[in-house]
Amino acid sequence: MESWKKITYVVAVFMFLIQIRPLEPYLTAYLTGPNGNVSLWEVANSLESIRSYAALIATLIMLIVSDYLLYKPVVIILTFWSCITYILMADLPSLTRLKVSMFFYGSAYCTTTVASCYLFACIKDRKHFQKSASIAAVGLQLGKFFGDISGQIIVSSSGGSYVSLPYCNAFAMFLATIWAFLFPSIKPKNSLNTNCPDEKTMLLGNSETTTSDTHEIKYCINKVDKDYKIVVVLKQIWLDFKTSLSNKIILKKSVWYIFGMAAYVQVLNNMNILYSYVVNKHGNNDILSNGFAESMVTLCGALGAYLIGKLQLDWNDYGDIFTSFCSILMGVFMMSCYFYEHIQLIYLSYILYGLVSEAILVITLCEMANHLKSQCYSLVIGFDLLGSLVMSAIMTFFFIQFNFLEITVPGRFLFIGGLYSVLGTMFLIIHFFDGEKENKY
């Protein structure tokens, strides 16, 4: 088997394991039920805010250390934190324990992004990026599917009890942590610091013009100023960052990723809340089937990721129009949730959203990776993820903590859908503007 396929399947199995979370579709119901014993307001405000801000802090740290640590240790640590999350949630947790668990929950949010950067860093031939990212995304979505179906079966067979779900999640995270130890290590030559001026190289270059004494050279190397080395590394990081974003394709994809992923995070964080909001409305007799709905979302997401891996297009020519079309579709699906009175229609919109969103996320990541230097994956993709979490935190503050417009839970989806529609319109204008420029020349 080719080396890129081996790496891809190792990462795909990890993505599968880390997404087996039967509790996820019922997280709000678990927290507001007799097990968590907190109010819906506390879930939607206090706990959700902790999760969002923890994700922001952890992503900032990941942005700084992942390239230096060559990804694998970061993946192991973040996966272990996920395991701690669900252990803390189990066995009638107090509000304090739940808040701590939400901190770990948010901190582990960037795990799959670091794993994706690891995948790109391990594959030498960039022509395999689209297919390998597609396979990894399929593994991720199938893991979600398995977890959601398992959650639905456990809840249905236990008469609506959620007690065992946190233990199932914790066990799956433990398996994912063990599997992460099996990741092949990346050689230091792929690291960021190998692209910076090396202390031996600098000193040897200077010393050769003044002396040939080997002992004097070694003495100079040992006395090198460590502070100066840090400055050189930081300058190299800044140069790599500026050079990367000067690429028009990377800049456009980064803009979409920051705003598109911020909306995506808000959808994931608020969809469970919307389910409970609609079902709890006076006169509504709908029954929650969150596990089934979430499993269909992830199954369709896996289908979208698989199909996009097979699609062969010149993304330089068709990337903007594809991004525009998908963004507008996602906007329509999310805005429709504002108008629905029954949960089945919300399930349908969310399922279609999952199909389209996974396809565009795979292509966006691949196109950025294709145009990035090998030591810049975590730097740029991590920065974009950080930017998306900042935007998501602003939305959380706007929707929840401040909410001076008194936006309802369904109103959040009207805003999210509008954001996708604006992104789609913007990329449509860019596509036609670039076409006009090409025609002139």
Side-chain angles (χ1 to χ4, degrees), residues 287-307:
I287 299 174
L288 285 175
S289 298
N290 296 1
F292 173 75
E294 293 288 345
S295 65
M296 291 306 299
V297 170
T298 52
L299 191 60
C300 287
L303 177 63
Y306 174 78
L307 292 176

Side-chain angles (χ1 to χ4, degrees), residues 248-300:
K248 187 178 179 181
I249 293 175
I250 294 175
L251 180 61
K252 287 190 295 185
K253 296 300 180 184
S254 293
V255 169
W256 188 93
Y257 193 89
I258 288 171
F259 288 95
M261 273 298 292
Y264 182 79
V265 171
Q266 287 297 313
V267 170
L268 296 182
N269 291 349
N270 286 284
M271 189 57 73
N272 255 265
I273 298 170
L274 180 64
Y275 293 158
S276 297
Y277 179 90
V278 171
V279 168
N280 291 335
K281 287 177 69 175
H282 180 71
N284 191 306
N285 297 317
D286 293 340
I287 299 174
L288 285 175
S289 298
N290 296 1
F292 173 75
E294 293 288 345
S295 65
M296 291 306 299
V297 170
T298 52
L299 191 60
C300 287

Side-chain angles (χ1 to χ4, degrees), residues 52-70:
S52 297
Y53 299 140
L56 188 63
I57 295 169
T59 301
L60 176 61
I61 296 172
M62 180 274 288
L63 170 66
I64 297 171
V65 306
S66 288
D67 284 313
Y68 178 75
L69 296 178
L70 302 175

Side-chain angles (χ1 to χ4, degrees), residues 59 62 109-110 113 257 261 380-389:
T59 301
M62 180 274 288
Y109 173 78
C110 56
T113 301
Y257 193 89
M261 273 298 292
V380 175
I381 296 175
F383 171 80
D384 292 344
L385 181 61
L386 178 66
S388 71
L389 291 174

Side-chain angles (χ1 to χ4, degrees), residues 10-47:
V10 167
V11 174
V13 170
F14 172 80
M15 295 291 202
F16 176 83
L17 290 173
I18 200 168
Q19 291 300 330
I20 300 177
R21 307 186 187 206
L23 174 62
E24 222 65 10
Y26 297 97
L27 182 58
T28 301
Y30 174 81
L31 295 174
T32 56
N35 304 104
N37 198 28
V38 295
S39 68
L40 183 61
W41 186 91
E42 285 175 313
V43 174
N45 292 270
S46 178
L47 297 182

Side-chain angles (χ1 to χ4, degrees), residues 174-233:
F174 174 74
L175 293 179
T177 304
I178 298 301
W179 187 263
F181 277 99
L182 301 180
F183 279 20
S185 298
I186 299 176
K187 295 181 181 179
K189 67 178 182 180
N190 290 333
S191 175
L192 176 65
N193 55 10
T194 59
N195 290 277
C196 301
D198 182 75
E199 57 193 38
K200 292 184 180 181
T201 305
M202 289 190 296
L203 290 169
L204 283 171
N206 293 330
S207 300
E208 282 174 357
T209 60
T210 58
T211 181
S212 60
D213 193 321
T214 304
H215 295 291
E216 184 177 347
I217 293 172
K218 290 181 178 180
Y219 176 78
C220 291
I221 291 171
N222 291 331
K223 292 294 184 180
V224 71
D225 188 348
K226 292 183 179 180
D227 291 337
Y228 177 71
K229 182 182 178 182
I230 293 173
V231 171
V232 170
V233 171

